Amino acid sequence: MTNILTMPKNSSYNPNISVIRMLLALYVLLAHSIMWYGAYGVEVSNWLQNFNYYAGKLFQSSGETNPAVIAFITLSGYCIHRNGLRIDSMALRAFFVRRIFRIMPMLIIGTLVGGLVFYYLQDINHISVITATTKISFWGLLYKLSGLFAFIPLSYQKLAYQGNAPLVTCSVEVWLYIFYPLFLMLIVRKGEAYFLKLICGITLAGVILYTIFPSIQNWWHNASFFGFLIYWWIGVYAVELRQELFGNIKFKLIAYILVSVLLIIYPKIFLLVEVRKVLFALLFGGLLYVLDRRTYSLKILNNQFFESGFSLYALHTPLICLALYFNINIYLCLLWAMFTAYLSYMLIERPLINCGKNLAINNNFKLMYSTTISK
């Protein structure tokens, strides 16, 4: 079995990954549009309401995060380690330069646009409910961008949303990037078995804490570094499919269905909630591995549209708010959000990603380790 620090890198482009990211962003866009249009008092088609209702029963019967968010976090870990750091080539400066130019521009833009839209629409009925924001503040915007709430839920719901609540997950993701090389160094010193026990222990401790203190449940599921940790690293380990983690798909699928049925009946068994999330991440990680090793001849999959999934996720909340304000039909709202995200990707996101890649190549810095890897 290859250690995650010595497995071969894969720097090739596979459009399947971009398609998956876009499909997840579209699911979030659709789910939030249906929910927020209803909250705003706009009539939504019965089939859309039923879609959200049954998806909620299947994936979120205990109030946990949207399954697309778990998939996003798992996908993030997968993409990072797919062409990430290895024992013989820890190019830390290049890694962080690329990450900064990949995530920070849209995180900042999405936060500022969300704040501005809320500021101008805050007197409109239900906008505060939709955005989960009561007040925009300079310190709140800084707090959101810093992601410090990922470690302790201090004024989390009051300050961290700032007109664009879904972006809290991206702020946490930045911290997962920062800790990625630190945890790899821990694996070098202590071994993978120690590390896996550590993150499982952290997850179990979190379940115990939010069982005792239900007020932190929303934070744990949606904006906690510790809550996201295990799913991000499931993505890392999915780069090389391991039977002990990703094998026996039928058993995991049946287990997922059974746990979901139990949680519909007994939604307060929080250990089962976390088990369901872990099973989902393992199934999704296995799917990533399979799709990353397949290519399709369909030219549509190479379309730039599929690359704009992150822009869509970052901007969809303020775009939905504007659509509601201007009485735009929900179907036109979906199209307007996708079109705006595509423009954002082409004009902002892609040029900055390319800039980060060029800087990383020109300023490559390698920190070499000769330490023997612990088993």
Side-chain angles (χ1 to χ4, degrees):
M1 183 174 65
T2 307
N3 187 286
I4 63 167
L5 280 162
T6 58
M7 66 175 64
K9 289 187 178 186
N10 183 358
S11 60
S12 63
Y13 171 76
N14 190 330
N16 293 347
I17 292 176
S18 297
V19 172
I20 292 170
R21 187 183 291 110
M22 174 52 81
L23 290 176
L24 294 174
L26 288 172
Y27 175 79
V28 172
L29 169 66
L30 180 61
H32 284 169
S33 296
I34 297 168
M35 181 169 60
W36 293 340
Y37 266 69
Y40 198 74
V42 178
E43 188 174 345
V44 179
S45 302
N46 286 334
W47 78 269
L48 288 176
Q49 293 182 45
N50 290 334
F51 169 81
N52 244 21
Y53 174 78
Y54 289 110
K57 281 290 185 183
L58 179 62
F59 296 116
Q60 298 173 271
S61 57
S62 299
E64 64 266 45
T65 190
N66 191 304
V69 173
I70 298 174
F72 269 129
I73 296 300
T74 306
L75 178 62
S76 172
Y78 184 91
C79 291
I80 292 300
H81 198 62
R82 183 178 184 267
N83 186 32
L85 304 177
R86 297 295 188 271
I87 189 67
D88 60 347
S89 179
M90 287 210 175
L92 297 179
R93 183 183 299 176
F95 170 76
F96 282 115
V97 165
R98 292 185 65 169
R99 290 304 95 207
I100 288 170
F101 279 84
R102 178 68 180 94
I103 195 171
M104 289 307 298
M106 290 313 303
L107 176 58
I108 293 170
I109 291 170
T111 298
L112 293 178
V113 172
L116 285 172
V117 169
F118 175 82
Y119 179 79
Y120 285 107
L121 301 183
Q122 59 185 311
D123 295 328
I124 306 299
N125 288 338
H126 308 297
I127 289 296
S128 289
V129 175
I130 292 169
T131 59
T133 304
T134 56
K135 182 181 179 182
I136 292 291
S137 69
F138 173 75
W139 294 111
L141 293 171
L142 283 183
Y143 185 54
K144 181 189 184 78
L145 290 171
S146 73
L148 293 176
F149 54 82
F151 300 97
I152 183 169
L154 179 66
S155 299
Y156 159 61
Q157 289 179 281
K158 181 180 178 181
L159 291 176
Y161 290 155
Q162 295 295 301
N164 196 340
L167 272 184
V168 295
T169 61
C170 299
S171 297
V172 179
E173 193 177 348
V174 173
W175 284 105
L176 290 166
Y177 294 162
I178 292 171
F179 274 82
Y180 168 61
L182 299 177
F183 281 133
L184 289 180
M185 294 176 195
L186 179 64
I187 291 172
V188 168
R189 292 178 177 275
K190 296 289 187 177
E192 288 189 41
Y194 175 89
F195 175 69
L196 291 173
K197 289 176 184 176
L198 175 66
I199 59 174
C200 288
I202 289 171
T203 303
L204 181 59
V207 174
I208 294 171
L209 277 175
Y210 79 75
T211 301
I212 299 172
F213 305 104
S215 62
I216 70 168
Q217 183 178 353
N218 178 275
W219 168 76
W220 174 264
H221 288 311
N222 296 287
S224 167
F225 172 85
F226 308 106
F228 285 177
L229 191 62
I230 192 169
Y231 309 106
W232 200 84
W233 280 88
I234 284 174
V236 170
Y237 276 90
V239 174
E240 183 192 65
L241 206 63
R242 298 188 177 188
Q243 283 300 114
E244 65 270 29
L245 289 177
F246 300 98
N248 209 338
I249 294 174
K250 289 183 180 178
F251 172 79
K252 288 184 175 66
L253 188 57
I254 292 170
Y256 182 88
I257 295 170
L258 290 175
V259 169
S260 295
V261 171
L262 278 173
L263 284 173
I264 292 173
I265 304 170
Y266 306 106
K268 298 300 182 183
I269 305 178
F270 295 132
L271 181 59
L272 281 183
V273 174
E274 216 63 37
V275 168
R276 173 164 67 178
K277 289 162 64 180
V278 169
L279 286 169
F280 182 86
L282 289 171
L283 288 167
F284 184 74
L287 177 66
L288 283 177
Y289 177 88
V290 172
L291 292 178
D292 194 20
R293 279 148 185 82
R294 294 186 180 181
T295 54
Y296 301 94
S297 58
L298 293 174
K299 291 184 178 180
I300 190 173
L301 296 182
N302 287 296
N303 195 299
Q304 297 283 355
F305 166 76
F306 291 108
E307 299 288 341
S308 61
F310 182 44
S311 282
L312 181 60
Y313 184 83
L315 297 173
H316 79 277
T317 298
L319 292 175
I320 293 172
C321 289
L322 288 172
L324 286 168
Y325 177 71
F326 289 109
N327 296 314
I328 297 175
N329 176 280
I330 189 171
Y331 300 106
L332 292 177
C333 170
L334 299 177
L335 292 174
W336 128 271
M338 288 186 283
F339 177 71
T340 306
Y342 175 74
L343 288 181
S344 170
Y345 173 76
M346 296 299 292
L347 299 176
I348 302 171
E349 192 180 353
R350 186 174 70 167
L352 289 172
I353 290 172
N354 290 335
C355 179
K357 288 179 179 177
N358 291 332
L359 286 173
I361 292 170
N362 295 330
N363 295 280
N364 197 9
F365 171 74
K366 292 189 177 182
L367 181 60
M368 308 296 287
Y369 289 91
S370 58
T371 310
T372 302
I373 304 173
S374 300
K375 301 295 183 184

